[in-house]
Amino acid sequence: MLQTFSNRLLRVQLLAMKVMEATPSTETSGFNLTLHPGEPTELLVQLENLGTRSLFIDLRLESNCPASWHQVGVEGQELLPGRRMDAVLYFQIPSDFFENQTALRSGETLTIDYQGQVVVAYHEAEQTEPEIEYAALNLFVRPQSQYSQFLPTVYREVDFINRFLKIFEQAFEPVVNASDTFWAYLNPNTAPQALLPFLAHWVDWRLDPRWSVAQQRRLIQNAIEIYRWRGTRRGLRLFLHLYTNLPIDDHLSHESDKHICIEEATYKAFHLGTVALGQDTALGRGRPYHFIVRLRKPSEMQIDENLIRYIIEQEKPAFCTYELSIVEG
């Protein structure tokens, strides 16, 4: 929409920076501008000096809408003869305009149509009293409807139809969005926290309140892998990795160099001068089916030793025994 008015000294032109398909019909005259909550809208005010002397410009908006909704941006105050100047009225309606019920008092109705005027005061250098030009401005706050794009053009221009379609859009859009992103509800990493017990039930995983939400997500995602390797070194290392977030270190060939070290307790034959009694040998039958778990953690990391033992007891074969040590390094 374009509107122009001028006199012998100044020409003022109003131009909306965005084409509005649906403009409410109104009996009042003036420039119509539709505002959508949450979307910035700009109104360009072009000023042209038609005289032979410089004009000093003062531009403002007088309206019954809240002052926080708009601001004025100008290039300067002086407009040289024969030159043009662009000023912009910036509008920003709160995104929760229609949902914020606290904005209404008891017995009131929500105002969605506002009136105002663009006021341009100007004067030459020697003048004391400025001359003033007014441009009536009608502001209409309307919801943005995506469904209107499926209508023929003749219906898109009807304000009532756009507002009517928005009712159905607000009712159906959450369902449409949920169906479009349904895959995210089935992924433990992206599913809402309230859905984690349901996903855990799918893989027969028992949720433990001692685990953080992030750890529970990782465990549910890797539950099948844990079941597959239960009772093995690989399965125990994976479980401990998911809790401690220590690296698995598959690239290291020596078990003792890994952050999660799981070694079988082996003893050398008893040869005097080659073994140390009580360290790498044992008298009698020794301890078969015995293994050692050694965790090497950073000094700032906190690890619950009781939970580590719970994990080992759950994952190891019932006939095995173990030792646990947690060291820093």
Side-chain angles (χ1 to χ4, degrees):
M1 183 176 180
L2 178 65
Q3 181 176 339
T4 304
F5 57 95
S6 63
N7 55 33
R8 63 182 182 86
L9 293 180
L10 183 67
R11 176 185 289 121
V12 181
Q13 189 174 68
L14 303 182
L15 176 64
M17 301 300 293
K18 181 179 179 181
V19 177
M20 303 298 175
E21 293 185 351
T23 302
S25 59
T26 175
E27 297 180 356
T28 59
S29 60
F31 191 91
N32 296 333
L33 188 64
T34 302
L35 308 177
H36 300 300
E39 296 184 8
T41 305
E42 297 179 0
L43 176 63
L44 180 63
V45 182
Q46 293 181 334
L47 307 173
E48 183 179 0
N49 188 348
L50 303 178
T52 58
R53 299 181 181 180
S54 296
L55 297 178
F56 294 90
I57 306 296
D58 180 22
L59 176 67
R60 64 182 184 273
L61 174 65
E62 297 179 353
S63 174
N64 59 345
C65 70
S68 59
W69 287 7
H70 62 83
Q71 60 180 347
V72 180
V74 294
E75 298 178 354
Q77 300 295 326
E78 183 178 3
L79 181 57
L80 299 177
R83 302 295 296 273
R84 291 185 178 181
M85 176 190 298
D86 290 340
V88 181
L89 293 177
Y90 300 94
F91 295 90
Q92 181 73 49
I93 309 300
S95 57
D96 61 346
F97 175 79
F98 290 104
E99 292 78 13
N100 188 7
Q101 301 298 326
T102 59
L104 292 178
R105 298 179 181 177
S106 178
E108 293 183 349
T109 58
L110 184 63
T111 302
I112 58 176
D113 296 340
Y114 297 88
Q115 290 76 40
Q117 55 187 2
V118 178
V119 181
V120 182
Y122 63 96
H123 65 89
E124 296 178 346
E126 66 278 3
Q127 287 181 323
T128 58
E129 293 295 330
E131 298 185 31
I132 300 178
E133 292 288 345
Y134 299 91
L137 182 62
N138 301 311
L139 303 175
F140 305 100
V141 182
R142 297 293 186 269
Q144 179 73 4
S145 176
Q146 301 298 327
Y147 287 7
S148 61
Q149 62 181 320
F150 301 106
L151 297 178
T153 304
V154 64
Y155 294 113
R156 296 183 197 175
E157 299 175 354
V158 181
D159 176 57
F160 171 77
I161 292 181
N162 284 269
R163 295 164 60 185
F164 185 70
L165 285 177
K166 188 63 179 181
I167 300 175
F168 295 94
E169 182 177 342
Q170 288 183 325
F172 293 123
E173 199 64 20
V175 179
V176 175
N177 292 336
S179 63
D180 290 342
T181 59
F182 187 68
W183 59 270
Y185 290 84
L186 304 180
N187 188 332
N189 291 326
T190 56
Q193 182 177 346
L195 200 60
L196 292 181
F198 174 75
L199 297 179
H201 179 73
W202 265 16
V203 293
D204 195 25
W205 185 262
R206 179 183 176 185
L207 294 180
D208 193 319
R210 291 177 294 181
W211 299 83
S212 67
V213 175
Q215 291 170 336
Q216 290 177 4
R217 293 181 185 276
R218 293 199 299 266
L219 287 170
I220 295 173
Q221 185 179 26
N222 294 274
I224 303 302
E225 189 73 9
I226 294 175
Y227 295 155
R228 179 184 179 185
W229 296 102
R230 173 160 286 176
T232 65
R233 176 186 297 175
R234 175 174 176 176
L236 178 58
R237 197 195 312 274
L238 174 61
F239 206 146
L240 293 175
H241 161 70
L242 294 175
Y243 166 63
T244 62
N245 208 28
L246 293 173
I248 295 181
D249 296 327
D250 283 337
H251 63 286
L252 299 178
S253 57
H254 297 288
E255 185 69 24
S256 59
D257 296 334
K258 298 181 178 181
H259 287 80
I260 305 176
C261 173
I262 304 175
E263 294 180 308
E264 296 182 14
T266 56
Y267 301 95
K268 299 178 182 179
F270 189 79
H271 297 284
L272 292 177
T274 62
V275 296
L277 187 63
Q279 296 182 10
D280 53 5
T281 187
L283 295 176
R285 298 177 58 188
R287 302 178 68 180
Y289 309 113
H290 185 78
F291 63 93
I292 301 172
V293 178
R294 186 180 301 107
L295 302 181
R296 191 170 75 251
K297 70 178 186 67
S299 58
E300 67 276 4
M301 177 181 289
Q302 300 294 327
I303 293 181
D304 187 348
E305 182 176 344
N306 292 330
L307 186 53
I308 294 294
R309 293 187 180 277
Y310 172 80
I311 294 173
I312 298 175
E313 292 287 348
Q314 178 178 306
E315 296 301 307
K316 74 177 184 64
F319 53 84
C320 290
T321 57
Y322 71 94
E323 296 177 20
L324 171 64
S325 64
I326 302 176
V327 299
E328 296 180 357

